[in-house]
Amino acid sequence: MPTLEPILVTLAPQHVAGIRRVVPMREIPQHYDASFPALGAAFAATGVTPSGPPMGISNSMPGDTLDLTVGFPVAEAFPGHGDVVDQLLPGGPAAEMMVLGDYAQLPDAYGTLLAWLAEQGLTPGPLAWEQYLTNPEPDADPAQNQTKLVWLLAE
């Protein structure tokens, strides 16, 4: 699996304009597909622009369902528009890891990141997210995907 080694970082708090839903695991792709047009409409209506690439925020550990926010980082608190609300990601210590290649690798990459945290004697907190550094295009080569995984550490 082409991944880069995890590193420890300290993050500043970050506002995200997103759509948060508890979805069955099999419906995650549909949540992403439905969220991006609504996010675009909310940005157009409010005049707010994203300050970084899109994100998928896991607000809970996955099981049969996942509490998932699909959104974009923004410079300030998002005023809200329709289903799009502001979510503040707390700052603090976190582990980051880059994943290069197909999104199908992400579950194994999370396993690698969790194993690394355990080896370091660190405890993952309740929030983790993916940030999609390459824009997924219908005809793009999935091997070119760059995804940053971030897991906040427990205090």
Short mmCIF file of all heavy atoms in Angstrom, two decimals, residues 37-108:
data_model
loop_
_atom_site.label_atom_id
_atom_site.label_comp_id
_atom_site.label_asym_id
_atom_site.label_seq_id
_atom_site.Cartn_x
_atom_site.Cartn_y
_atom_site.Cartn_z
N PRO A 37 -23.34 19.17 -4.39
CA PRO A 37 -24.18 20.21 -5.01
C PRO A 37 -24.79 21.17 -3.97
O PRO A 37 -24.87 22.38 -4.20
CB PRO A 37 -25.26 19.43 -5.75
CG PRO A 37 -24.67 18.08 -5.97
CD PRO A 37 -23.77 17.83 -4.79
N ALA A 38 -25.22 20.63 -2.84
CA ALA A 38 -25.80 21.48 -1.79
C ALA A 38 -24.75 22.41 -1.20
O ALA A 38 -25.04 23.57 -0.89
CB ALA A 38 -26.42 20.61 -0.69
N LEU A 39 -23.53 21.94 -1.04
CA LEU A 39 -22.45 22.80 -0.56
C LEU A 39 -22.17 23.92 -1.55
O LEU A 39 -22.02 25.08 -1.17
CB LEU A 39 -21.19 21.98 -0.30
CG LEU A 39 -21.23 21.09 0.93
CD1 LEU A 39 -20.20 19.97 0.83
CD2 LEU A 39 -21.02 21.91 2.19
N GLY A 40 -22.11 23.58 -2.83
CA GLY A 40 -21.89 24.60 -3.86
C GLY A 40 -22.97 25.67 -3.84
O GLY A 40 -22.68 26.87 -3.93
N ALA A 41 -24.22 25.24 -3.69
CA ALA A 41 -25.33 26.19 -3.63
C ALA A 41 -25.23 27.07 -2.39
O ALA A 41 -25.50 28.28 -2.45
CB ALA A 41 -26.67 25.45 -3.66
N ALA A 42 -24.84 26.49 -1.27
CA ALA A 42 -24.70 27.27 -0.03
C ALA A 42 -23.59 28.30 -0.14
O ALA A 42 -23.73 29.44 0.31
CB ALA A 42 -24.47 26.34 1.15
N PHE A 43 -22.47 27.92 -0.76
CA PHE A 43 -21.38 28.88 -0.94
C PHE A 43 -21.82 30.01 -1.87
O PHE A 43 -21.54 31.18 -1.61
CB PHE A 43 -20.13 28.19 -1.48
CG PHE A 43 -19.43 27.33 -0.46
CD1 PHE A 43 -19.05 26.03 -0.77
CD2 PHE A 43 -19.14 27.79 0.81
CE1 PHE A 43 -18.41 25.23 0.16
CE2 PHE A 43 -18.50 27.01 1.76
CZ PHE A 43 -18.13 25.72 1.42
N ALA A 44 -22.52 29.67 -2.94
CA ALA A 44 -23.00 30.69 -3.87
C ALA A 44 -23.98 31.64 -3.19
O ALA A 44 -23.92 32.86 -3.39
CB ALA A 44 -23.65 30.04 -5.09
N ALA A 45 -24.87 31.10 -2.36
CA ALA A 45 -25.89 31.93 -1.70
C ALA A 45 -25.30 32.82 -0.62
O ALA A 45 -25.80 33.93 -0.39
CB ALA A 45 -26.97 31.03 -1.10
N THR A 46 -24.26 32.37 0.07
CA THR A 46 -23.71 33.14 1.18
C THR A 46 -22.50 33.99 0.80
O THR A 46 -22.10 34.87 1.56
CB THR A 46 -23.29 32.20 2.34
OG1 THR A 46 -22.26 31.32 1.86
CG2 THR A 46 -24.48 31.41 2.87
N GLY A 47 -21.90 33.69 -0.35
CA GLY A 47 -20.69 34.41 -0.74
C GLY A 47 -19.44 33.92 -0.03
O GLY A 47 -18.35 34.46 -0.24
N VAL A 48 -19.56 32.89 0.79
CA VAL A 48 -18.41 32.30 1.48
C VAL A 48 -17.68 31.40 0.49
O VAL A 48 -18.30 30.74 -0.34
CB VAL A 48 -18.86 31.50 2.72
CG1 VAL A 48 -17.69 30.77 3.37
CG2 VAL A 48 -19.55 32.42 3.72
N THR A 49 -16.35 31.38 0.57
CA THR A 49 -15.57 30.49 -0.27
C THR A 49 -14.78 29.52 0.60
O THR A 49 -14.34 29.88 1.70
CB THR A 49 -14.59 31.27 -1.18
OG1 THR A 49 -13.74 32.06 -0.35
CG2 THR A 49 -15.33 32.15 -2.15
N PRO A 50 -14.61 28.30 0.11
CA PRO A 50 -13.80 27.34 0.88
C PRO A 50 -12.36 27.82 1.00
O PRO A 50 -11.84 28.51 0.12
CB PRO A 50 -13.87 26.07 0.03
CG PRO A 50 -15.08 26.22 -0.83
CD PRO A 50 -15.20 27.70 -1.08
N SER A 51 -11.73 27.45 2.11
CA SER A 51 -10.33 27.82 2.31
C SER A 51 -9.40 26.63 2.10
O SER A 51 -8.20 26.74 2.35
CB SER A 51 -10.13 28.41 3.71
OG SER A 51 -10.46 27.44 4.70
N GLY A 52 -9.95 25.50 1.63
CA GLY A 52 -9.12 24.34 1.39
C GLY A 52 -9.91 23.25 0.70
O GLY A 52 -11.10 23.41 0.41
N PRO A 53 -9.26 22.11 0.45
CA PRO A 53 -9.90 21.00 -0.25
C PRO A 53 -11.01 20.35 0.58
O PRO A 53 -11.07 20.50 1.80
CB PRO A 53 -8.75 20.00 -0.47
CG PRO A 53 -7.50 20.74 -0.23
CD PRO A 53 -7.84 21.86 0.71
N PRO A 54 -11.90 19.59 -0.10
CA PRO A 54 -13.02 18.95 0.59
C PRO A 54 -12.56 17.94 1.64
O PRO A 54 -11.45 17.41 1.57
CB PRO A 54 -13.80 18.26 -0.53
CG PRO A 54 -12.85 18.13 -1.66
CD PRO A 54 -11.85 19.24 -1.52
N MET A 55 -13.48 17.69 2.58
CA MET A 55 -13.19 16.82 3.71
C MET A 55 -14.36 15.89 3.98
O MET A 55 -15.50 16.23 3.72
CB MET A 55 -12.96 17.65 4.98
CG MET A 55 -11.92 18.73 4.87
SD MET A 55 -11.90 19.82 6.31
CE MET A 55 -11.19 18.73 7.52
N GLY A 56 -14.04 14.76 4.58
CA GLY A 56 -15.03 13.87 5.15
C GLY A 56 -14.65 13.65 6.60
O GLY A 56 -13.57 13.14 6.90
N ILE A 57 -15.50 14.09 7.53
CA ILE A 57 -15.18 14.06 8.96
C ILE A 57 -15.97 12.95 9.62
O ILE A 57 -17.21 12.94 9.59
CB ILE A 57 -15.53 15.41 9.63
CG1 ILE A 57 -14.80 16.55 8.94
CG2 ILE A 57 -15.21 15.36 11.13
CD1 ILE A 57 -15.36 17.93 9.26
N SER A 58 -15.26 12.02 10.25
CA SER A 58 -15.90 10.96 11.03
C SER A 58 -16.06 11.48 12.45
O SER A 58 -15.09 11.69 13.17
CB SER A 58 -15.03 9.70 11.03
OG SER A 58 -14.88 9.20 9.72
N ASN A 59 -17.33 11.67 12.84
CA ASN A 59 -17.64 12.18 14.17
C ASN A 59 -17.86 11.05 15.17
O ASN A 59 -18.20 11.31 16.32
CB ASN A 59 -18.89 13.06 14.09
CG ASN A 59 -18.69 14.26 13.20
OD1 ASN A 59 -17.93 15.16 13.52
ND2 ASN A 59 -19.33 14.26 12.04
N SER A 60 -17.69 9.82 14.73
CA SER A 60 -17.85 8.65 15.59
C SER A 60 -17.02 7.52 15.00
O SER A 60 -16.61 7.58 13.85
CB SER A 60 -19.33 8.23 15.65
OG SER A 60 -19.77 7.78 14.37
N MET A 61 -16.81 6.49 15.80
CA MET A 61 -16.15 5.30 15.28
C MET A 61 -17.14 4.59 14.36
O MET A 61 -18.33 4.53 14.65
CB MET A 61 -15.71 4.38 16.41
CG MET A 61 -14.58 4.94 17.25
SD MET A 61 -13.04 5.17 16.33
CE MET A 61 -12.49 3.50 16.15
N PRO A 62 -16.68 4.05 13.24
CA PRO A 62 -17.60 3.37 12.33
C PRO A 62 -18.12 2.07 12.92
O PRO A 62 -17.43 1.39 13.67
CB PRO A 62 -16.75 3.10 11.09
CG PRO A 62 -15.34 3.25 11.51
CD PRO A 62 -15.32 4.11 12.73
N GLY A 63 -19.34 1.77 12.60
CA GLY A 63 -19.99 0.52 12.96
C GLY A 63 -20.89 0.17 11.80
O GLY A 63 -20.47 0.22 10.64
N ASP A 64 -22.15 -0.10 12.07
CA ASP A 64 -23.12 -0.28 10.99
C ASP A 64 -23.41 1.06 10.31
O ASP A 64 -23.81 1.10 9.15
CB ASP A 64 -24.42 -0.88 11.51
CG ASP A 64 -24.24 -2.32 11.99
OD1 ASP A 64 -23.30 -2.99 11.52
OD2 ASP A 64 -25.03 -2.75 12.83
N THR A 65 -23.23 2.14 11.08
CA THR A 65 -23.45 3.50 10.57
C THR A 65 -22.23 4.35 10.91
O THR A 65 -21.37 3.95 11.70
CB THR A 65 -24.70 4.15 11.19
OG1 THR A 65 -24.52 4.25 12.61
CG2 THR A 65 -25.96 3.35 10.88
N LEU A 66 -22.18 5.52 10.31
CA LEU A 66 -21.12 6.48 10.59
C LEU A 66 -21.74 7.87 10.67
O LEU A 66 -22.52 8.26 9.81
CB LEU A 66 -20.05 6.45 9.50
CG LEU A 66 -18.88 7.41 9.66
CD1 LEU A 66 -18.07 7.06 10.91
CD2 LEU A 66 -17.99 7.40 8.43
N ASP A 67 -21.39 8.62 11.71
CA ASP A 67 -21.76 10.02 11.85
C ASP A 67 -20.74 10.80 11.03
O ASP A 67 -19.60 10.98 11.45
CB ASP A 67 -21.73 10.41 13.33
CG ASP A 67 -22.13 11.85 13.59
OD1 ASP A 67 -22.24 12.65 12.63
OD2 ASP A 67 -22.33 12.19 14.77
N LEU A 68 -21.15 11.23 9.83
CA LEU A 68 -20.22 11.76 8.83
C LEU A 68 -20.61 13.16 8.39
O LEU A 68 -21.75 13.40 8.00
CB LEU A 68 -20.22 10.82 7.61
CG LEU A 68 -19.38 11.22 6.41
CD1 LEU A 68 -17.90 11.25 6.75
CD2 LEU A 68 -19.65 10.26 5.26
N THR A 69 -19.64 14.07 8.42
CA THR A 69 -19.80 15.40 7.85
C THR A 69 -19.02 15.46 6.55
O THR A 69 -17.84 15.10 6.51
CB THR A 69 -19.25 16.48 8.80
OG1 THR A 69 -19.92 16.41 10.06
CG2 THR A 69 -19.43 17.87 8.21
N VAL A 70 -19.67 15.90 5.50
CA VAL A 70 -19.00 16.15 4.22
C VAL A 70 -18.97 17.66 4.05
O VAL A 70 -20.02 18.32 4.14
CB VAL A 70 -19.76 15.49 3.05
CG1 VAL A 70 -19.13 15.87 1.71
CG2 VAL A 70 -19.79 13.98 3.22
N GLY A 71 -17.78 18.23 3.88
CA GLY A 71 -17.72 19.68 3.78
C GLY A 71 -16.38 20.20 3.31
O GLY A 71 -15.54 19.46 2.80
N PHE A 72 -16.22 21.49 3.52
CA PHE A 72 -15.00 22.21 3.15
C PHE A 72 -14.57 23.09 4.32
O PHE A 72 -15.42 23.69 4.99
CB PHE A 72 -15.26 23.15 1.96
CG PHE A 72 -15.44 22.46 0.65
CD1 PHE A 72 -16.68 21.99 0.27
CD2 PHE A 72 -14.37 22.30 -0.22
CE1 PHE A 72 -16.86 21.37 -0.96
CE2 PHE A 72 -14.54 21.69 -1.45
CZ PHE A 72 -15.79 21.21 -1.82
N PRO A 73 -13.26 23.22 4.54
CA PRO A 73 -12.80 24.19 5.54
C PRO A 73 -13.13 25.61 5.07
O PRO A 73 -13.15 25.89 3.86
CB PRO A 73 -11.29 23.97 5.60
CG PRO A 73 -10.93 23.26 4.34
CD PRO A 73 -12.16 22.55 3.87
N VAL A 74 -13.45 26.47 6.03
CA VAL A 74 -13.72 27.88 5.76
C VAL A 74 -12.96 28.72 6.78
O VAL A 74 -12.63 28.25 7.87
CB VAL A 74 -15.24 28.20 5.80
CG1 VAL A 74 -15.95 27.55 4.61
CG2 VAL A 74 -15.89 27.73 7.09
N ALA A 75 -12.67 29.97 6.42
CA ALA A 75 -11.84 30.83 7.25
C ALA A 75 -12.51 31.24 8.56
O ALA A 75 -11.84 31.44 9.57
CB ALA A 75 -11.41 32.07 6.47
N GLU A 76 -13.83 31.38 8.54
CA GLU A 76 -14.58 31.81 9.73
C GLU A 76 -15.82 30.94 9.87
O GLU A 76 -16.17 30.20 8.96
CB GLU A 76 -14.98 33.28 9.59
CG GLU A 76 -13.80 34.23 9.50
CD GLU A 76 -14.23 35.67 9.29
OE1 GLU A 76 -15.43 35.92 9.08
OE2 GLU A 76 -13.35 36.54 9.33
N ALA A 77 -16.50 31.09 10.99
CA ALA A 77 -17.73 30.31 11.21
C ALA A 77 -18.70 30.51 10.05
O ALA A 77 -18.96 31.64 9.63
CB ALA A 77 -18.38 30.71 12.52
N PHE A 78 -19.21 29.42 9.51
CA PHE A 78 -20.15 29.48 8.40
C PHE A 78 -21.52 29.87 8.93
O PHE A 78 -21.98 29.31 9.93
CB PHE A 78 -20.21 28.12 7.70
CG PHE A 78 -21.01 28.13 6.44
CD1 PHE A 78 -20.50 28.70 5.29
CD2 PHE A 78 -22.28 27.59 6.39
CE1 PHE A 78 -21.23 28.74 4.11
CE2 PHE A 78 -23.02 27.60 5.23
CZ PHE A 78 -22.50 28.17 4.08
N PRO A 79 -22.21 30.82 8.28
CA PRO A 79 -23.49 31.30 8.81
C PRO A 79 -24.63 30.29 8.69
O PRO A 79 -25.68 30.49 9.30
CB PRO A 79 -23.77 32.54 7.95
CG PRO A 79 -23.04 32.30 6.68
CD PRO A 79 -21.82 31.51 7.05
N GLY A 80 -24.43 29.24 7.95
CA GLY A 80 -25.50 28.26 7.75
C GLY A 80 -26.36 28.62 6.56
O GLY A 80 -26.62 29.78 6.28
N HIS A 81 -26.77 27.58 5.84
CA HIS A 81 -27.66 27.77 4.70
C HIS A 81 -28.25 26.41 4.37
O HIS A 81 -27.53 25.49 3.98
CB HIS A 81 -26.91 28.34 3.50
CG HIS A 81 -27.80 28.61 2.33
ND1 HIS A 81 -28.06 27.68 1.35
CD2 HIS A 81 -28.52 29.71 2.00
CE1 HIS A 81 -28.88 28.19 0.47
NE2 HIS A 81 -29.18 29.43 0.83
N GLY A 82 -29.56 26.25 4.56
CA GLY A 82 -30.19 24.96 4.33
C GLY A 82 -29.59 23.90 5.24
O GLY A 82 -29.48 24.11 6.45
N ASP A 83 -29.17 22.80 4.66
CA ASP A 83 -28.57 21.71 5.45
C ASP A 83 -27.10 21.95 5.78
O ASP A 83 -26.50 21.15 6.50
CB ASP A 83 -28.68 20.39 4.67
CG ASP A 83 -30.10 19.86 4.59
OD1 ASP A 83 -30.93 20.25 5.43
OD2 ASP A 83 -30.37 19.05 3.67
N VAL A 84 -26.51 23.01 5.24
CA VAL A 84 -25.09 23.27 5.45
C VAL A 84 -24.92 24.09 6.72
O VAL A 84 -25.47 25.18 6.84
CB VAL A 84 -24.46 23.98 4.24
CG1 VAL A 84 -22.97 24.21 4.46
CG2 VAL A 84 -24.70 23.18 2.96
N VAL A 85 -24.17 23.53 7.67
CA VAL A 85 -23.95 24.18 8.96
C VAL A 85 -22.46 24.28 9.24
O VAL A 85 -21.63 23.66 8.56
CB VAL A 85 -24.65 23.40 10.09
CG1 VAL A 85 -26.16 23.36 9.87
CG2 VAL A 85 -24.10 21.99 10.22
N ASP A 86 -22.12 25.06 10.24
CA ASP A 86 -20.74 25.20 10.68
C ASP A 86 -20.41 24.08 11.66
O ASP A 86 -21.21 23.75 12.54
CB ASP A 86 -20.54 26.56 11.37
CG ASP A 86 -19.09 26.79 11.75
OD1 ASP A 86 -18.27 26.98 10.83
OD2 ASP A 86 -18.78 26.75 12.95
N GLN A 87 -19.23 23.50 11.49
CA GLN A 87 -18.69 22.56 12.48
C GLN A 87 -17.29 23.03 12.81
O GLN A 87 -16.48 23.26 11.91
CB GLN A 87 -18.66 21.12 11.93
CG GLN A 87 -18.09 20.14 12.94
CD GLN A 87 -18.20 18.69 12.47
OE1 GLN A 87 -18.92 18.37 11.53
NE2 GLN A 87 -17.50 17.80 13.15
N LEU A 88 -17.01 23.17 14.09
CA LEU A 88 -15.68 23.59 14.52
C LEU A 88 -14.88 22.36 14.91
O LEU A 88 -15.25 21.64 15.85
CB LEU A 88 -15.77 24.56 15.70
CG LEU A 88 -14.43 25.05 16.25
CD1 LEU A 88 -13.65 25.82 15.18
CD2 LEU A 88 -14.63 25.90 17.49
N LEU A 89 -13.80 22.12 14.17
CA LEU A 89 -12.87 21.06 14.55
C LEU A 89 -11.93 21.64 15.59
O LEU A 89 -11.28 22.66 15.33
CB LEU A 89 -12.08 20.57 13.33
CG LEU A 89 -12.90 19.97 12.20
CD1 LEU A 89 -12.00 19.62 11.02
CD2 LEU A 89 -13.66 18.75 12.68
N PRO A 90 -11.85 21.01 16.76
CA PRO A 90 -10.96 21.56 17.79
C PRO A 90 -9.51 21.38 17.38
O PRO A 90 -9.15 20.45 16.65
CB PRO A 90 -11.30 20.72 19.02
CG PRO A 90 -11.84 19.44 18.48
CD PRO A 90 -12.52 19.79 17.18
N GLY A 91 -8.69 22.26 17.84
CA GLY A 91 -7.27 22.11 17.60
C GLY A 91 -6.67 21.15 18.61
O GLY A 91 -7.36 20.63 19.48
N GLY A 92 -5.37 20.95 18.48
CA GLY A 92 -4.67 20.10 19.42
C GLY A 92 -3.79 19.08 18.73
O GLY A 92 -3.62 19.10 17.51
N PRO A 93 -3.24 18.17 19.52
CA PRO A 93 -2.34 17.16 18.94
C PRO A 93 -3.11 16.17 18.08
O PRO A 93 -4.23 15.77 18.40
CB PRO A 93 -1.73 16.48 20.16
CG PRO A 93 -2.70 16.72 21.27
CD PRO A 93 -3.38 18.02 20.97
N ALA A 94 -2.48 15.79 16.97
CA ALA A 94 -3.11 14.86 16.03
C ALA A 94 -2.01 14.08 15.31
O ALA A 94 -0.84 14.47 15.29
CB ALA A 94 -3.96 15.62 15.01
N ALA A 95 -2.43 12.99 14.70
CA ALA A 95 -1.56 12.23 13.81
C ALA A 95 -2.07 12.42 12.39
O ALA A 95 -3.28 12.44 12.16
CB ALA A 95 -1.58 10.75 14.18
N GLU A 96 -1.14 12.59 11.47
CA GLU A 96 -1.48 12.75 10.05
C GLU A 96 -0.74 11.69 9.25
O GLU A 96 0.39 11.30 9.60
CB GLU A 96 -1.02 14.11 9.51
CG GLU A 96 -1.83 15.26 9.93
CD GLU A 96 -1.40 16.56 9.24
OE1 GLU A 96 -0.43 16.55 8.43
OE2 GLU A 96 -2.05 17.58 9.50
N MET A 97 -1.35 11.29 8.14
CA MET A 97 -0.72 10.35 7.24
C MET A 97 -1.25 10.59 5.83
O MET A 97 -2.46 10.74 5.65
CB MET A 97 -1.00 8.91 7.67
CG MET A 97 -0.28 7.88 6.85
SD MET A 97 -0.47 6.21 7.52
CE MET A 97 -2.01 5.75 6.74
N MET A 98 -0.37 10.62 4.86
CA MET A 98 -0.78 10.75 3.46
C MET A 98 -1.01 9.36 2.87
O MET A 98 -0.27 8.43 3.16
CB MET A 98 0.30 11.46 2.65
CG MET A 98 0.43 12.93 2.96
SD MET A 98 -1.02 13.88 2.51
CE MET A 98 -1.06 13.61 0.75
N VAL A 99 -2.03 9.26 2.05
CA VAL A 99 -2.32 8.04 1.31
C VAL A 99 -2.30 8.40 -0.17
O VAL A 99 -3.00 9.33 -0.59
CB VAL A 99 -3.69 7.44 1.71
CG1 VAL A 99 -3.97 6.17 0.92
CG2 VAL A 99 -3.75 7.17 3.20
N LEU A 100 -1.52 7.69 -0.93
CA LEU A 100 -1.40 7.93 -2.36
C LEU A 100 -2.07 6.77 -3.09
O LEU A 100 -1.70 5.62 -2.89
CB LEU A 100 0.07 8.03 -2.76
CG LEU A 100 0.90 9.03 -1.97
CD1 LEU A 100 2.36 8.95 -2.38
CD2 LEU A 100 0.36 10.43 -2.12
N GLY A 101 -3.09 7.07 -3.88
CA GLY A 101 -3.73 6.02 -4.66
C GLY A 101 -5.23 5.95 -4.43
O GLY A 101 -5.84 6.85 -3.86
N ASP A 102 -5.80 4.86 -4.87
CA ASP A 102 -7.24 4.64 -4.88
C ASP A 102 -7.85 4.77 -3.48
O ASP A 102 -7.25 4.35 -2.49
CB ASP A 102 -7.52 3.24 -5.44
CG ASP A 102 -8.97 3.07 -5.82
OD1 ASP A 102 -9.84 3.13 -4.94
OD2 ASP A 102 -9.23 2.87 -7.03
N TYR A 103 -9.05 5.33 -3.42
CA TYR A 103 -9.77 5.48 -2.14
C TYR A 103 -10.04 4.13 -1.48
O TYR A 103 -10.26 4.06 -0.28
CB TYR A 103 -11.10 6.21 -2.35
CG TYR A 103 -10.95 7.64 -2.81
CD1 TYR A 103 -11.77 8.14 -3.81
CD2 TYR A 103 -10.00 8.50 -2.26
CE1 TYR A 103 -11.65 9.46 -4.25
CE2 TYR A 103 -9.86 9.80 -2.70
CZ TYR A 103 -10.70 10.28 -3.69
OH TYR A 103 -10.57 11.57 -4.12
N ALA A 104 -10.03 3.05 -2.24
CA ALA A 104 -10.25 1.71 -1.67
C ALA A 104 -9.18 1.36 -0.64
O ALA A 104 -9.39 0.48 0.20
CB ALA A 104 -10.28 0.66 -2.78
N GLN A 105 -8.04 2.06 -0.66
CA GLN A 105 -6.97 1.83 0.31
C GLN A 105 -7.24 2.47 1.66
O GLN A 105 -6.54 2.17 2.63
CB GLN A 105 -5.66 2.42 -0.22
CG GLN A 105 -5.18 1.84 -1.50
CD GLN A 105 -3.89 2.50 -1.90
OE1 GLN A 105 -2.83 1.91 -1.73
NE2 GLN A 105 -3.95 3.71 -2.38
N LEU A 106 -8.21 3.38 1.74
CA LEU A 106 -8.37 4.16 2.97
C LEU A 106 -8.67 3.31 4.21
O LEU A 106 -8.11 3.59 5.27
CB LEU A 106 -9.41 5.26 2.76
CG LEU A 106 -9.01 6.33 1.73
CD1 LEU A 106 -10.12 7.36 1.57
CD2 LEU A 106 -7.69 6.99 2.11
N PRO A 107 -9.54 2.29 4.14
CA PRO A 107 -9.75 1.50 5.36
C PRO A 107 -8.46 0.87 5.90
O PRO A 107 -8.21 0.91 7.11
CB PRO A 107 -10.76 0.43 4.92
CG PRO A 107 -11.51 1.08 3.80
CD PRO A 107 -10.48 1.90 3.08
N ASP A 108 -7.62 0.33 5.02
CA ASP A 108 -6.35 -0.24 5.47
C ASP A 108 -5.42 0.85 6.00
O ASP A 108 -4.68 0.63 6.96
CB ASP A 108 -5.66 -0.99 4.33
CG ASP A 108 -6.33 -2.30 4.00
OD1 ASP A 108 -7.09 -2.83 4.84
OD2 ASP A 108 -6.10 -2.81 2.88
#
